[in-house]
Amino acid sequence: MVVSLVATAFWAMLPAYVPNNAAVLAGGGRPIDGGRTWGGRRVLGDGKTWRGTAAGTLAGTLLAVALNAAAPAVSSALGVSLPTFPLAAGVGLALGAMLGDIGASFLKRRSGRERGAAFPGLDQLDFVVGALALAFVVAPGWFSATFTLPVLAVVFVMTPVLHVVTNVGAYLLGLKNEPW
Ligand code: CTP
Ligand code: MG
């Protein structure tokens, strides 16, 4: 029961987990806000680029396609019926994760936090909220069949833990400038 919930939650969120990491690897180039400011501060900052956003969205979407191919084998190996991703759901999760992260940067700049500053809570959940919200909008039937309340509860507890672990890892590997 618990194993199946955790496996389902992790699997269903993978297309939302990968985009931020892909953006870190692929980021750079023109910032989305084009350098514009609002109220004396950058609208988003140099940490939100077109290239990073596109790469993250593409990576999450391609992962969803790959997971669909792997689902039967992994499901039977684990004895858990893992979800597959209609294209809209994969794109929704991946793009939604990027938009959530962009929204968080917008809020960070409005509250005077410079690029790279930590915003505990927001940093760990911005992409989860963005991914779930967009997936709900573009694939409502799939969303309600996949993200039952127990699965959602696991997502909201498990994701911050995974986020802290992967970001500290990326920091130690020299991929990120800050461990959050
Ligand atoms: N990145 C990107 N485009 C995005 C998200 C991330 O190019 N949409 C890249 C940037 O190189 C960024 C790095 O990934 O610096 C780390 O992402 P993140 O921690 O979200 O950005 P920060 O630089 O910390 O900026 P912010 O304070 O706005 O979160
Ligand atoms: Mg950051």
Side-chain angles (χ1 to χ4, degrees), residues 52-126:
T53 307
T57 304
L58 188 66
T61 303
L62 291 178
L63 180 65
V65 173
L67 291 177
N68 286 343
V74 180
S75 291
S76 67
L78 294 179
V80 176
S81 173
L82 295 167
T84 53
F85 304 88
L87 187 60
V91 176
L93 288 169
L95 178 60
M98 291 274 80
L99 294 178
D101 176 60
I102 290 169
S105 290
F106 179 80
L107 294 178
K108 286 188 194 178
R109 301 301 94 82
R110 303 289 73 71
S111 59
R113 291 172 171 80
E114 298 299 334
R115 175 188 180 181
F119 197 149
L122 194 65
D123 282 328
Q124 287 74 37
L125 288 171
D126 51 16

Side-chain angles (χ1 to χ4, degrees), residues 19-20 23-28 32 44-54 98 101-102 104-106 108-109 113-118 123 167 175-178 180:
N20 287 294
V24 171
L25 296 177
I32 295 172
L44 299 174
D46 285 331
K48 304 297 119 144
T49 68
W50 290 108
R51 196 167 81 201
T53 307
M98 291 274 80
D101 176 60
I102 290 169
S105 290
F106 179 80
K108 286 188 194 178
R109 301 301 94 82
R113 291 172 171 80
E114 298 299 334
R115 175 188 180 181
D123 282 328
N167 282 297
L175 297 173
K176 279 199 72 160
N177 294 328
E178 307 89 18
W180 49 77

